[in-house]
Amino acid sequence: MKNNTIDSNSPILENWQYLWFIFILIVCAVVFRFSYIERFNDIKRPYELRQNAIVDKAALLINARLSLVETQIRLFKHELMLLNPSEDQLESVMSAMFALYPDTLQVRWIDLEGVEKVRLNKADDSHVQAVSTAKLQNKFQRYYTQAGLALNESAVFVSRIDLNVEQGVVQIPVQPTLRAVTRANLPSMGDGLLVINFDLRSLIGHVESLNQADIQLLIGAGEKRWMIHPDKSREWRPDLGKAPANILDDLPELYQSLNKEVPAQDIDINGQRYIAQRIQSPYSSEGSLQDIYVVTRTAPSVHSMIKNKAILHASLVAVATGLGGFIIFVLYFRHIHTVRKLNTALSKERDNIKQVLERQSLLIDELAESKKLSSLSVMVAGLAHELNTPVGATYLALSNQSDLLAELVKRKAHGLTKSDFEDYIEQSQKSLIQAENNNLRAIELIKSFKRLTFERASDEQVCFSVAQHLNDLCKSMKGLLQKHNISLKKNIAEGMSLTGHAGAFSQIVQIFISNAIDHAFEGMAGACIEITCKSRDADVVIIVKDNGKGIEPEILPTIFDPFITSKRQHQHTGLGLHMAKIWIEQVFNGEIFVESIVGKGSRFELVFRSIQTSHLESQS
């Protein structure tokens, strides 16, 4: 028996050994690199998702609050004008409104010369206090007063976000605020400015609560100040008279990226991942509300943690790859003969499968041809049933004419009167008209049947009348429908034509009518099939609709698969709808859409396109 083991001293093995080890080292290096990148991204992805979620939540909170500012001052002004208080009542009315707007920090009435007439402040204990007349100030030089005096009566000015200042001193603890200004008129006060300071501490508290241990949130009020920062000493520095700290100085690369009309940006800076979004201000006047920059970043330790985990994972994968390569090196030559045997067996199996597929394809072609013959036999049966009526009526008319003639001959033998002859002529005319009409009806049925059968046997592409073919088909299936107590409603538009295989067209529509007859009703009363024909742009759309039992949702996706049928015991092959789908797609470049509700029926929409239209579309 021949030994299949390879000698370890074989020169071939020695030559390939070094090449194989070099190859394994290269593969391990490549695997390490790609495993590191993939693992790094996998570990980083949850952080990015959480960062995006925090940015979105923070932006939503800020947008929601800022969008209410203009609405609230308009409502405040509207309620104030409705109440129309006197000058003595103005303080109490304004004070009562603080309860309606909990974030209101200060409300003022300033005349057109910039002098405060009324000012109410809300203390930290939520108590509202009116400032005495002696302490009221002239605010004419303040930017928001100048902006308010320039407004028309319906406009609102919303100021930038900064810290509240009283008597030239920043309030401590700090009170982040923004102001809304609008012009107003009260009979007791005349024209003036309504100014509301909104307290943003609640908003900032909600936004800061989104911070996580490993994800930090930074909010920039414009490009000049941080209003939220992990390092509290960097917040509000311009308002506190300190050296600036802002997104423009701290994160210039991110700032430039955010100002390129891109809604959100993510970027790596010094080993920390930044994801940011700019909330663009709807105001453009000087001193108005700034753009808000919402930024999240990973904690400094996150990047090194992700990197270490990715390196460990990539190292293990690379080592496993090297071990696998070594095992493959040891086993390859030992088992190569087994692989060759397996290849031989697979080749034989492939040939067998190929033969089975060829036989199956032949079977499908035979069954498709059988389906065509079956549908033709349905038409023949329907035609025979329809011909019984006109042929029988013609036979009765001719039989009656024969009896009239015999009676005329009999009376002639005993003497034929004028009235007898005239009666014979009248009755003969009626019989002949009846026979002629029924004979014409039979001829028309035979013509429609000949058109359908001739065109189904023809492979030529012709321009045919859609309405004529549908009417011929309905005539040929009338007997089958009556046999199953199914009524047929037609709504067929005239004047439409298609270019293609007319026989395939009628065959496709017949399949869907037959499918409804076989599967939709099962003896139910009031069964009805409705056929609608209409044009849609350059397409012809046929809708076959029934009021039957419908199709189960779990079966619906498979109804066009071959050999799928619920009535195999009744000699159904399950190829009808499959062949219809193939024909409409391949012959007419069309589509089929189906809708079905259990207990209410099914609706098949067949879209046919002319050959010329399809050809032009493919060229374009």
Side-chain angles (χ1 to χ4, degrees):
M1 182 176 180
K2 186 176 179 180
N3 189 359
N4 288 326
T5 4
I6 296 177
D7 184 3
S8 59
N9 295 321
S10 168
I12 296 176
L13 184 60
E14 288 181 1
N15 292 336
W16 279 95
Q17 179 177 355
Y18 298 109
L19 292 176
W20 183 258
F21 281 129
I22 293 172
F23 173 73
I24 288 298
L25 288 174
I26 294 172
V27 169
C28 287
V30 172
V31 167
F32 177 86
R33 175 173 175 76
F34 282 101
S35 296
Y36 172 80
I37 294 172
E38 182 181 4
R39 186 58 179 167
F40 187 90
N41 290 331
D42 286 344
I43 300 173
K44 183 179 68 173
R45 192 169 296 114
Y47 289 91
E48 292 177 347
L49 294 174
R50 285 195 288 140
Q51 282 184 263
N52 276 309
I54 291 172
V55 167
D56 290 341
K57 288 178 182 177
L60 183 62
L61 287 171
I62 294 169
N63 260 324
R65 183 64 193 93
L66 296 182
S67 63
L68 286 176
V69 169
E70 186 171 332
T71 302
Q72 288 181 348
I73 193 169
R74 290 184 187 278
L75 290 173
F76 199 110
K77 170 185 173 181
H78 179 69
E79 292 171 8
L80 198 61
M81 295 178 71
L82 283 178
L83 294 173
N84 191 19
S86 65
E87 186 174 357
D88 294 337
Q89 296 172 331
L90 185 58
E91 287 185 2
S92 61
V93 170
M94 286 184 171
S95 178
M97 291 185 181
F98 272 79
L100 297 175
Y101 309 103
D103 285 341
T104 302
L105 182 64
Q106 188 181 86
V107 176
R108 285 173 285 179
W109 183 279
I110 300 176
D111 65 18
L112 297 183
E113 295 180 357
V115 178
E116 292 180 329
K117 293 298 184 180
V118 177
R119 186 173 80 201
L120 289 88
N121 296 332
K122 183 166 69 174
D124 289 337
D125 60 359
S126 297
H127 178 65
V128 179
Q129 296 175 336
V131 177
S132 64
T133 305
K135 293 184 178 181
L136 296 177
Q137 303 172 34
N138 189 315
K139 301 289 186 179
F140 187 79
Q141 297 302 325
R142 297 295 178 91
Y143 72 93
Y144 55 84
T145 304
Q146 292 295 318
L149 292 173
L151 296 173
N152 58 45
E153 291 185 0
S154 61
V156 172
F157 171 78
V158 178
S159 76
R160 62 174 178 255
I161 298 173
D162 55 18
L163 297 182
N164 190 33
V165 178
E166 292 296 339
Q167 304 292 336
V169 178
V170 175
Q171 295 295 291
I172 301 297
V174 295
Q175 296 176 343
T177 184
L178 62 78
R179 300 160 192 83
V181 184
T182 186
R183 295 193 67 145
N185 179 279
L186 289 176
S188 60
M189 303 297 293
D191 289 333
L193 299 180
L194 177 63
V195 182
I196 301 178
N197 287 21
F198 291 96
D199 190 353
L200 300 182
R201 284 177 289 182
S202 174
L203 171 64
I204 291 175
H206 287 153
V207 174
E208 285 184 325
S209 67
L210 300 176
N211 268 309
Q212 298 179 7
D214 48 6
I215 296 177
Q216 301 168 340
L217 186 64
L218 302 84
I219 308 294
E223 66 273 9
K224 294 185 178 181
R225 56 177 57 78
W226 290 115
M227 54 189 287
I228 296 178
H229 196 281
D231 182 357
K232 294 299 180 182
S233 66
R234 302 187 69 78
E235 296 177 352
W236 308 108
R237 293 180 70 89
D239 303 283
L240 297 172
K242 299 179 180 180
N246 50 60
I247 189 171
L248 182 59
D249 294 330
D250 296 349
L251 303 168
E253 187 178 352
L254 182 62
Y255 172 78
Q256 291 174 6
S257 179
L258 284 169
N259 282 275
K260 293 179 180 177
E261 303 301 327
V262 180
Q265 288 291 327
D266 60 82
I267 193 169
D268 279 320
I269 301 175
N270 298 327
Q272 290 179 279
R273 190 70 176 176
Y274 286 80
I275 293 182
Q277 185 179 122
R278 182 176 67 143
I279 303 173
Q280 197 162 2
S281 171
Y283 307 101
S284 58
S285 58
E286 184 178 357
S288 62
L289 180 65
Q290 320 98 310
D291 293 346
I292 306 298
Y293 297 91
V294 183
V295 184
T296 58
R297 73 182 184 192
T298 54
S301 60
V302 171
H303 182 78
S304 58
M305 179 272 294
I306 295 175
K307 184 177 179 181
N308 292 336
K309 285 186 177 181
I311 290 174
L312 178 61
H313 173 80
S315 300
L316 292 174
V317 172
V319 170
T321 303
L323 290 174
F326 179 74
I327 293 171
I328 292 172
F329 172 75
V330 172
L331 298 178
Y332 175 74
F333 294 105
R334 185 181 297 176
H335 295 284
I336 193 168
H337 66 284
T338 305
V339 174
R340 287 175 179 171
K341 288 182 180 179
L342 182 59
N343 284 335
T344 302
L346 288 175
S347 179
K348 291 180 180 179
E349 188 66 23
R350 180 194 60 199
D351 293 339
N352 292 336
I353 292 174
K354 184 178 179 182
Q355 292 175 2
V356 171
L357 288 175
E358 289 174 351
R359 288 197 296 268
Q360 187 179 29
S361 177
L362 181 61
L363 175 61
I364 290 176
D365 292 340
E366 292 175 352
L367 289 174
E369 191 64 30
S370 173
K371 187 68 180 178
K372 290 183 181 179
L373 295 175
S374 173
S375 62
L376 189 61
S377 69
V378 170
M379 291 170 56
V380 171
L383 177 68
H385 183 276
E386 281 295 293
L387 282 174
N388 280 336
T389 301
V391 171
T394 302
Y395 175 78
L396 288 175
L398 294 176
S399 177
N400 183 52
Q401 181 63 30
S402 178
D403 292 341
L404 289 173
L405 181 62
E407 181 65 23
L408 182 67
V409 172
K410 181 178 177 181
R411 290 187 179 185
K412 179 182 177 184
H414 298 84
L416 184 65
T417 66
K418 181 180 179 181
S419 63
D420 289 337
F421 186 70
E422 290 175 347
D423 183 59
Y424 168 76
I425 292 174
E426 181 181 355
Q427 295 297 323
S428 295
Q429 287 177 337
K430 291 181 180 178
S431 297
L432 289 173
I433 289 172
Q434 183 180 6
E436 183 180 5
N437 289 339
N438 283 282
N439 195 39
L440 288 174
R441 182 180 172 191
I443 290 171
E444 181 60 29
L445 286 171
I446 292 171
K447 282 182 178 179
S448 66
F449 177 74
K450 285 175 66 179
R451 278 195 297 268
L452 289 175
T453 54
F454 173 76
E455 287 171 347
R456 289 194 182 182
S458 173
D459 289 332
E460 295 182 1
Q461 295 177 2
V462 296
C463 182
F464 59 90
S465 168
V466 174
Q468 183 185 66
H469 276 69
L470 290 177
N471 287 325
D472 288 348
L473 179 62
C474 292
K475 288 177 185 178
S476 70
M477 300 195 73
K478 185 176 179 182
L480 182 63
L481 291 163
Q482 290 177 346
K483 178 182 176 182
H484 290 84
N485 296 319
I486 300 172
S487 63
L488 178 66
K489 294 182 180 179
K490 297 187 295 179
N491 182 16
I492 301 173
E494 297 290 339
M496 289 185 292
S497 63
L498 272 176
T499 300
H501 296 278
F505 171 80
S506 62
Q507 178 87 20
I508 292 167
V509 179
Q510 182 182 344
I511 286 174
F512 285 93
I513 298 174
S514 300
N515 185 71
I517 294 172
D518 293 338
H519 299 282
F521 304 109
E522 294 189 352
M524 64 175 284
C528 177
I529 297 175
E530 182 178 349
I531 298 178
T532 303
C533 175
K534 59 184 180 180
S535 63
R536 182 186 297 157
D537 298 329
D539 302 335
V540 172
V541 179
I542 310 295
I543 298 173
V544 181
K545 181 180 178 183
D546 65 72
N547 63 345
K549 64 180 183 179
I551 305 171
E552 297 291 338
E554 58 271 17
I555 300 175
L556 192 60
T558 65
I559 60 173
F560 294 107
D561 294 345
F563 307 113
I564 300 297
T565 179
S566 60
K567 292 191 174 182
R568 199 172 303 280
Q569 67 276 17
H570 294 102
Q571 307 303 314
H572 288 265
T573 62
L575 278 176
L577 294 182
H578 174 67
M579 298 307 300
K581 186 174 187 295
I582 290 176
W583 288 336
I584 198 171
E585 289 176 351
Q586 295 183 356
V587 179
F588 291 96
N589 194 25
E591 298 174 278
I592 301 176
F593 303 97
V594 57
E595 298 175 0
S596 185
I597 301 175
V598 175
K600 293 188 177 181
S602 302
R603 179 182 183 275
F604 291 87
E605 181 177 303
L606 317 178
V607 181
F608 294 86
R609 297 183 176 91
S610 289
I611 296 300
Q612 306 99 312
T613 303
S614 302
H615 179 65
L616 290 173
E617 288 176 353
S618 64
Q619 286 183 337
S620 62

